[in-house]
Amino acid sequence: MKFIDTHHQQWHRVVGEDGPMPHPDPAPNLLLTIEQWHAVRDHWPAGLATGVEVPNDFAIEDLAADLPRLSLIALHFPKWVDGRAYSQARLLRSRYRFAGEVRATGEVLVDMLPLLARTGFDAVQLGADQSRASAERALAFFPAHYQGDVDATQPVFARGAA
């Protein structure tokens, strides 16, 4: 799991005085809102490292055709008890075979890390009150799981037979 340092961030949002700029100019490593992406995707250069922030109530299926052009999908957890972004990540990895970075943002707690990893997240921006050391311990807590996940789709009892 990659831990994002908000002070030394590779990806940058395009904002103006009144919020996100509606039609940003192409540049590498831009993290666009879904609205910005929809406004510029028809003329956005291919091969440019681009990320999109997706709210957890967005139908990820609507982004499927754009996935080959994206390097990062940032899925938002507005509250730690709202798990819709887990489903979005699972769909991105399992159904759409998205190979780019899937990042968890918002109210992300250390306790969420094992499930984040199992559903397809490979980067996380922890909440300000969360410790990276605690997060790393949480990831090492369970070395294996009985159920399948995005990395090992078969349950543990079927893995040895395959």
Side-chain angles (χ1 to χ4, degrees):
M1 184 76 61
K2 177 176 157 185
F3 295 95
I4 306 303
D5 179 2
T6 56
H7 301 295
H8 301 96
Q9 175 62 276
Q10 173 186 357
W11 293 88
H12 305 283
R13 291 177 175 87
V14 185
V15 294
E17 292 178 11
D18 297 327
M21 290 177 53
H23 295 281
D25 293 326
N29 297 332
L30 291 184
L31 184 56
L32 306 175
T33 65
I34 196 69
E35 293 81 11
Q36 287 173 316
W37 174 248
H38 284 152
V40 300
R41 71 179 169 192
D42 292 335
H43 63 274
W44 200 258
L48 195 61
T50 306
V52 174
E53 293 180 294
V54 178
N56 70 345
D57 60 353
F58 181 77
I60 213 71
E61 298 83 9
D62 296 342
L63 197 57
D66 297 327
L67 292 177
R69 300 176 58 197
L70 300 173
S71 303
L72 164 68
I73 306 289
L75 301 175
H76 189 69
F77 287 87
K79 298 178 183 179
W80 68 270
V81 295
D82 187 342
R84 290 178 283 182
Y86 291 118
S87 299
Q88 289 173 316
R90 173 88 183 196
L91 287 171
L92 283 169
R93 294 294 192 209
S94 297
R95 182 177 297 168
Y96 300 110
R97 305 286 184 227
F98 180 67
E101 180 178 310
V102 178
R103 180 182 298 179
T105 65
E107 197 172 318
V108 180
L109 305 179
V110 167
D111 295 348
M112 298 165 63
L113 270 284
L115 188 55
L116 289 171
R118 295 190 67 212
T119 55
F121 287 93
D122 54 1
V124 62
Q125 186 174 326
L126 290 171
D129 61 339
Q130 302 296 299
S131 157
R132 180 177 174 165
S134 297
E136 290 171 346
R137 277 194 312 273
L139 284 171
F141 227 35
F142 298 102
H145 299 278
Y146 288 113
Q147 307 89 354
D149 57 27
V150 295
D151 293 325
T153 56
Q154 294 182 320
V156 73
F157 62 84
R159 292 180 204 154

